Amino acid sequence: FKNFRKCEAAAMAELRGEWGRKDSLALRVGSYVDAYFSGELEQYKADHPEMFKKDGTLKADFVHAHKVAERLESDELARMLLSGRHQVIKTVRIGGVWFKTKSDSLLTAAQVEAICKRFPQVRELVPFGGAMIVDLKYVKDFDDIWDEDAGEKVTFIEFWGYDIQGAIYQAADKRSVPFVIVGATKQDEPDLDALFIPDDDLSYSLSEVEALAPRYDAIKRGEIEPEGCGKCAYCRSIKKLTGIRHYKKNNELTPVGSW
C-alpha cells in the first residue's frame, strides 16, 4: 500500500518483477534485528548465507545490526516493549480490500501493566489498562525528512508511512489499542526511542486507506492503468523525451516558433 502511495507505476512494476529488489540489503538487515527478538535468529542465519564473509564472520552491515539488537535488549523499556508475541499475523478488510499485518510485538494487558508499574508515564497511553501493538523500526536516524509532495519536512514516521501501517494494524486488531514504535538508528552509535502515534492520527490515516485501497486493488487487477509519479527512479528509467522545453519552465514544452 505504501509503495502504491509513492508511485502506482513503480509499485506495479515491482509486483510484476520488472523493477526493484524485494530482498534488498536494507530489508535483510532489518529482518536480522526482527529475528533477534523473535527467537528465530539462528534459522535466519541458516536461510541467508549471503550475510557471511568467506571466513564465516558476519558482513559489516549485519555486525552493526547485531550491535543494535544487543543495544535494544540492554535497554529495559525497549526490552519490555519487544517482549510480546512476535510476528502475529492478522487480516482485516478495509475499503472492501483485504490486508494482512504481522506485528513485531503484541503485548498482553498483563505485560503492559508490568511496563506501567516500572515506567509510570506509559500509563497515559492505557489509563484503563489493555494491550499494546509494538513495531520495531531500524532506520537511518530520527531526523525529519524533506517531503517533495508536501513541500516541507515531515517526521520520519510520516515520510515512511508508519502512521498508515499503524492504522492498518490497529484495524486488524479490532481494538483501539496504542500503536507504539520502538526505533533504533543505523548510526555508528545507535540512538533509541519509543514513540506512539495518537489515535486521532491513526483514524485520519485509516480514512486515507479506506479511500485509496479500492483504486490500488483495481490497478492490481488490471482494471485501471497505474499513474506514474514522474519523479522516482522507476519513472526516470522509463522516461521518453517528447520535445524540447524552455530551461526555466518545468514540464512545459515550448513551440520552436516561440524561440
Side-chain angles (χ1 to χ4, degrees), residues 105-117:
S105 177
L106 190 58
L107 295 169
T108 65
Q111 288 175 310
V112 175
E113 181 60 26
I115 293 173
C116 290
K117 288 180 178 178

Side-chain angles (χ1 to χ4, degrees), residues 122-152:
V122 176
R123 193 171 297 282
E124 296 175 15
L125 300 182
V126 283
F128 307 108
M132 185 178 290
I133 303 169
V134 180
D135 203 58
L136 175 60
K137 297 300 182 189
Y138 184 38
V139 298
K140 177 184 175 184
D141 53 47
F142 298 139
D143 295 344
D144 290 349
I145 304 171
W146 179 263
D147 187 320
E148 192 71 35
D149 294 330
E152 62 182 358

Side-chain angles (χ1 to χ4, degrees), residues 70-121:
E70 290 181 329
R71 175 75 177 86
L72 284 163
E73 190 175 41
S74 70
D75 184 272
E76 186 178 6
L77 178 55
R79 184 173 65 252
M80 294 181 78
L81 288 171
L82 295 170
S83 66
R85 286 191 297 146
H86 297 280
Q87 308 303 318
V88 180
I89 295 175
K90 296 189 177 186
T91 58
V92 61
R93 199 178 183 103
I94 303 175
V97 180
W98 283 105
F99 286 79
K100 182 171 72 173
T101 68
K102 188 164 67 173
S103 302
D104 288 333
S105 177
L106 190 58
L107 295 169
T108 65
Q111 288 175 310
V112 175
E113 181 60 26
I115 293 173
C116 290
K117 288 180 178 178
R118 184 67 185 86
F119 299 91
Q121 180 267 345

Side-chain angles (χ1 to χ4, degrees), residues 83-247:
S83 66
R85 286 191 297 146
H86 297 280
Q87 308 303 318
V88 180
I89 295 175
K90 296 189 177 186
T91 58
V92 61
R93 199 178 183 103
I94 303 175
V97 180
W98 283 105
F99 286 79
K100 182 171 72 173
T101 68
K102 188 164 67 173
S103 302
D104 288 333
S105 177
L106 190 58
L107 295 169
T108 65
Q111 288 175 310
V112 175
E113 181 60 26
I115 293 173
C116 290
K117 288 180 178 178
R118 184 67 185 86
F119 299 91
Q121 180 267 345
V122 176
R123 193 171 297 282
E124 296 175 15
L125 300 182
V126 283
F128 307 108
M132 185 178 290
I133 303 169
V134 180
D135 203 58
L136 175 60
K137 297 300 182 189
Y138 184 38
V139 298
K140 177 184 175 184
D141 53 47
F142 298 139
D143 295 344
D144 290 349
I145 304 171
W146 179 263
D147 187 320
E148 192 71 35
D149 294 330
E152 62 182 358
K153 281 191 172 183
V154 299
T155 65
F156 78 95
I157 286 178
E158 295 166 300
F159 184 84
W160 294 114
Y162 297 152
D163 50 342
I164 291 284
Q165 182 181 348
I168 297 171
Y169 277 37
Q170 195 180 69
D173 199 68
K174 297 180 173 60
R175 297 174 293 177
S176 293
V177 299
F179 179 75
V180 172
I181 288 176
V182 171
T185 69
K186 299 177 182 178
Q187 294 161 300
D188 291 340
E189 191 55 52
D191 193 6
L192 306 182
D193 214 339
L195 308 161
F196 83 98
I197 304 177
D199 283 349
D200 286 348
D201 291 5
L202 294 177
S203 295
Y204 178 83
S205 296
L206 184 62
S207 67
E208 185 176 355
V209 177
E210 290 171 338
L212 294 175
R215 173 179 172 81
Y216 296 164
D217 192 49
I219 291 173
K220 288 176 68 176
R221 293 198 306 267
E223 297 172 4
I224 301 176
E225 284 296 313
E227 292 184 3
C229 67
K231 297 176 289 187
C232 70
Y234 174 74
C235 286
R236 294 196 302 271
S237 76
I238 62 171
K239 179 180 179 179
K240 295 185 184 299
L241 298 179
T242 59
I244 303 173
R245 65 180 181 84
H246 191 290
Y247 79 105

